[in-house]
Every structure is written in structure tokens, then in C-alpha cells.
Amino acid sequence: MSYKTLGGKVLMSPRLLQLLITDDKETSIVVMNFIRSIVELSGLLHIAENDICCFLDELVYKLTSTSDAIIGRSATKTVNALAEAESRVVHLLNRRFIGLKPLLKRWQFKGFQPELQKLLSFLTAESAAVTEEQEYHAAAVVIQSTFRGYKTRQMLHRAEKALSSLQRKYRETKAANMQKKLADQQQRALQEQLVASRQLALRNVRNKHLHYIGILPAGA
């Protein structure tokens, strides 16, 4: 059995959690030091999320309920060790203990500022990650909206172009029809004029013929 597997079994032991929950100061400090040693040696790879949450619940309880700086420092260092060993711990801290950051201010200037700042940095990092994700999401929305707007403008431009082409063809067709209609009217008018002129010419020829007949001598 490897030391990592052995360390995982020790961390998952109900007895260890029971010792951590004790109100005895010395026992709590020894157990927290022990947990940090195991975590630094074997990590949390084989530890179930539920077991990690149990440790975090008790450690955060100690941070928010006790006024003993030694307990506060040991609990802070243990939470930091868990967070450094496994990135999911940072996520669990932010998901499970919303509003923890303001409560940690009570430990400022209590002699373990570096450890406290490290814990705050884990919380800030998760918040920054969430903010960054939100910014990425917002940027994606803007990009998608811009792209949709671009596509819509393209479609409108194509539609306007098609409509303009259709209107132009309609006007051209209408003008051609009007020209054809006008040409037909002019042609009919010309034909009617030619027919009338021919009839008039025939009438004049007939009248002249009758006139010439009328002026001929009787015996001619």
C-alpha cells in the first residue's frame, strides 16, 4: 500500500474527524497539524468530496467561532493546505461558505497575517474566476449579438439590393410596356391616318372624275 493511499485512508477515518471536532484546544491543534502533514505528503486525490466538506465545515466553524488566535492560525493554515493540495477545495470554499471573507477580518493583526492573506487570495481567486467567466460570457454575448447584427444587416442589404433590383426591373418592364403601348397607339393612329388619307384621296379622285364627266360636251 502506497503512502498516498494510506494517507487517504487516515484522512477518511471518522475517528480523525471526531478528534478534530473536539473543543479541547491542544487536541484540536495537534489534529490540525497532523492533517496538514498528511495532506502535504499524500494530497487529497483519493479523498471524497463529502469528507473534504466535513473538514472544511469544522475548520471554518473554528475560524468564525473562536477568539483564540492560536486556533485561528492553525485552522487558517489547515484550510490553506487543503486548498493548495486540491483546486476543488477553493471551489468548495466559495460555494459552501458564501460571505466568509468579511468574517475573516476579525483575524487581522492577530499575528498570522500572511496565512490570512493566503486564504483571502484563494477566495479572491475564485471570485475573480467567476468574474472572468462572467466577463467571457458577456463578451460572448456581445460577439454573438454583433455577429447576428452583422448577419441581419447583410440579409437586409441583400434584401434591399434584391428589392432595388426588382423595382428597377419593374420600372424597366413598365417603361417598356408603356413604350410598346405608345408605339402601338402611334402605329394605329398612323394606320387610321393613312386609311383616312387614302379614303380622302379616293374621294377627291372620284369627285374630279365626275367633274370631268360633267363638263364634257353632250355629243362627245
Side-chain angles (χ1 to χ4, degrees), residues 157-169 171:
H157 178 70
R158 286 196 294 266
E160 289 175 355
K161 190 175 181 180
L163 179 61
S164 177
S165 177
L166 182 62
Q167 289 175 336
R168 186 178 64 255
K169 289 181 180 179
R171 287 193 296 269

Side-chain angles (χ1 to χ4, degrees), residues 2-197:
S2 67
Y3 64 88
K4 289 187 176 182
T5 304
L6 180 60
K9 289 185 176 296
V10 172
L11 289 175
M12 289 187 292
S13 170
R15 179 59 178 163
L16 182 63
L17 181 60
Q18 183 181 357
L19 291 171
L20 177 64
I21 294 174
T22 183
D23 291 327
D24 183 73
K25 176 181 175 179
E26 297 300 328
T27 303
S28 294
I29 293 173
V30 169
V31 172
M32 286 188 282
N33 291 339
F34 180 68
I35 291 173
R36 290 200 303 275
S37 298
I38 295 177
V39 169
E40 290 169 1
L41 180 66
S42 60
L44 295 173
L45 183 62
H46 302 289
I47 310 303
E49 183 173 304
N50 184 62
D51 293 318
I52 296 176
C53 288
C54 289
F55 284 126
L56 290 177
D57 287 345
E58 178 59 23
L59 292 169
V60 171
Y61 172 77
K62 292 183 184 303
L63 278 170
T64 56
S65 63
T66 185
S67 58
D68 191 308
I70 298 176
I71 294 291
R73 179 178 184 177
S74 185
T76 301
K77 291 175 68 175
T78 306
V79 172
N80 288 341
L82 294 173
E84 288 175 338
E86 186 72 44
S87 59
R88 57 180 166 155
V89 173
V90 179
H91 177 67
L92 289 172
L93 277 170
N94 285 270
R95 187 187 70 186
R96 198 173 181 86
F97 307 104
I98 298 172
L100 176 59
K101 284 177 65 176
L103 297 176
L104 294 177
K105 292 180 179 179
R106 63 199 296 267
W107 294 113
Q108 288 183 339
F109 313 114
K110 295 294 185 179
F112 56 98
Q113 195 69 17
E115 292 85 353
L116 184 63
Q117 287 299 324
K118 181 179 288 188
L119 177 55
L120 289 171
S121 70
F122 284 126
L123 300 175
T124 304
E126 178 71 10
S127 300
V130 172
T131 302
E132 185 177 6
E133 183 178 353
Q134 292 173 343
E135 290 177 352
Y136 281 140
H137 177 70
V141 170
V142 171
I143 292 171
Q144 290 173 352
S145 300
T146 303
F147 178 73
R148 285 194 295 267
Y150 170 74
K151 295 296 289 185
T152 301
R153 285 193 294 273
Q154 273 195 327
M155 292 174 62
L156 288 174
H157 178 70
R158 286 196 294 266
E160 289 175 355
K161 190 175 181 180
L163 179 61
S164 177
S165 177
L166 182 62
Q167 289 175 336
R168 186 178 64 255
K169 289 181 180 179
Y170 172 77
R171 287 193 296 269
E172 291 174 353
T173 302
K174 185 177 180 180
N177 290 337
M178 289 291 293
Q179 289 179 351
K180 185 176 183 302
K181 184 177 181 180
L182 181 60
D184 291 343
Q185 290 176 346
Q186 290 175 343
Q187 185 177 2
R188 284 196 300 271
L190 179 60
Q191 289 176 346
E192 291 174 357
Q193 181 182 349
L194 292 174
V195 170
S197 297

